Amino acid sequence: MFKIIKVKDYEEMSDKAFDVVKEVVDANPKCVLGLATGSSPVGLYQRMIKDHQENGTSYADVTTFNLDEYCGLPKSHPESYYSFMHRNLFSGLNIPEENIHIPEDGEDKEAKCKEYDASMESYTVDLQVLGIGSNGHIGFNEPGTAFDTKTHIVTLKESTRQDNARFFDSIDKVPTHAITMGIDTIMHAKKIIIVASGANKADAIYAMIHGPKTTDVPASVLQDHPDVVVVVDAEAGKLL
Ligand code: GLP
């Protein structure tokens, strides 16, 4: 079930998303957070850091699981999701490094996927933060991904590589593959918050909520989840 919150702009979207995260962390300081990368949650992460630094909200007992990681980039690459998360969130909070989980690429990709699923096995994600791809992907679950997937390797769609090319020197530098938490795993989170801003997300947001439930729009699977908060700015929500 979707609870839709339409706001004016990115800043207000980040404020609302922060309220949701804060409520979960305050209610249970040992909560498990599922985290996303991309530009959409950066404002939320800034607010979490500010709140931690100014109000002392502690993340010492919080555990996190990230959605995805590029294949073929070393952790130290500035655009690896490992670097992104440390730069935009973890460096400003007090989450112990051993509580942080990010999928890892490796020579034996199958083993790396199994390892990530195993690391999640004894946890239930209390709140999963999601962005959405302009083609409706969640995590890196591209259109066509089965709804029953666990952690797996994906071939990135050309449109996704184009969308993410802004972070790299050129399109050829954008990885072609990624490791991502699967759709089934995402659906097991108790609560989900999805944030989207900008006109290029409007079609995907509309299809997620009002379109048919189809693997062509991976986010449409969320129609079956009992508790999804959707925070959209005016442009991303313009078709709703
Ligand atoms: C990326 C990530 C997703 C993210 C999406 C949108 O490729 N793998 O987790 O939600 O695409 O990114 P952005 O928020 O930058 O638009």
Side-chain angles (χ1 to χ4, degrees), residues 6 16 21 28 31 38 40 43 52-53 57 80 107-109 111 148-149 162 171 182 185 191 205 213 216 220 235 240:
K6 273 170 107 174
K16 293 281 182 209
V21 172
N28 178 12
C31 65
S40 306
H52 165 66
Q53 290 174 350
T57 303
S80 76
E107 219 156 272
D108 187 344
K109 298 198 184 321
D148 62 359
T149 41
Q162 296 281 1
I171 181 83
T185 313
K191 185 181 185 84
I205 288 291
K213 198 181 68 176
D216 292 345
S220 66
E235 298 221 297
L240 298 179

Side-chain angles (χ1 to χ4, degrees), residues 36-41 67-68 70 81 130-134 137-140 160 164 166-167 200-201:
T37 51
S39 313
S40 306
L67 285 168
D68 47 16
Y70 287 119
Y81 286 165
L130 290 180
I132 187 168
S134 60
H137 75 223
I138 47 176
F140 263 138
T160 298
N164 290 356
R166 67 189 190 278
F167 299 112
N200 69 326
K201 301 291 174 72

Side-chain angles (χ1 to χ4, degrees), residues 113-216:
C113 292
K114 290 216 165 74
E115 210 176 90
Y116 200 61
D117 287 335
S119 73
M120 290 192 75
E121 219 165 59
S122 54
Y123 294 92
T124 302
V125 173
D126 293 294
L127 177 66
Q128 174 67 57
V129 177
L130 290 180
I132 187 168
S134 60
N135 64 5
H137 75 223
I138 47 176
F140 263 138
N141 292 286
E142 293 281 34
T145 307
F147 288 161
D148 62 359
T149 41
K150 302 282 186 197
T151 304
H152 61 120
I153 303 289
V154 290
T155 304
L156 299 178
K157 297 276 184 204
E158 210 37 46
S159 63
T160 298
R161 294 186 66 241
Q162 296 281 1
D163 283 349
N164 290 356
R166 67 189 190 278
F167 299 112
F168 293 83
D169 294 340
S170 68
I171 181 83
D172 352 314
K173 298 271 167 64
V174 184
T176 54
H177 292 78
I179 175 169
T180 185
M181 198 188 275
I183 291 179
D184 183 65
T185 313
I186 293 172
M187 288 294 281
H188 275 86
K190 283 190 204 157
K191 185 181 185 84
I192 293 176
I193 178 167
I194 183 157
V195 284
S197 73
N200 69 326
K201 301 291 174 72
D203 288 336
I205 288 291
Y206 180 86
M208 168 180 90
I209 295 170
H210 295 297
K213 198 181 68 176
T214 163
T215 55
D216 292 345

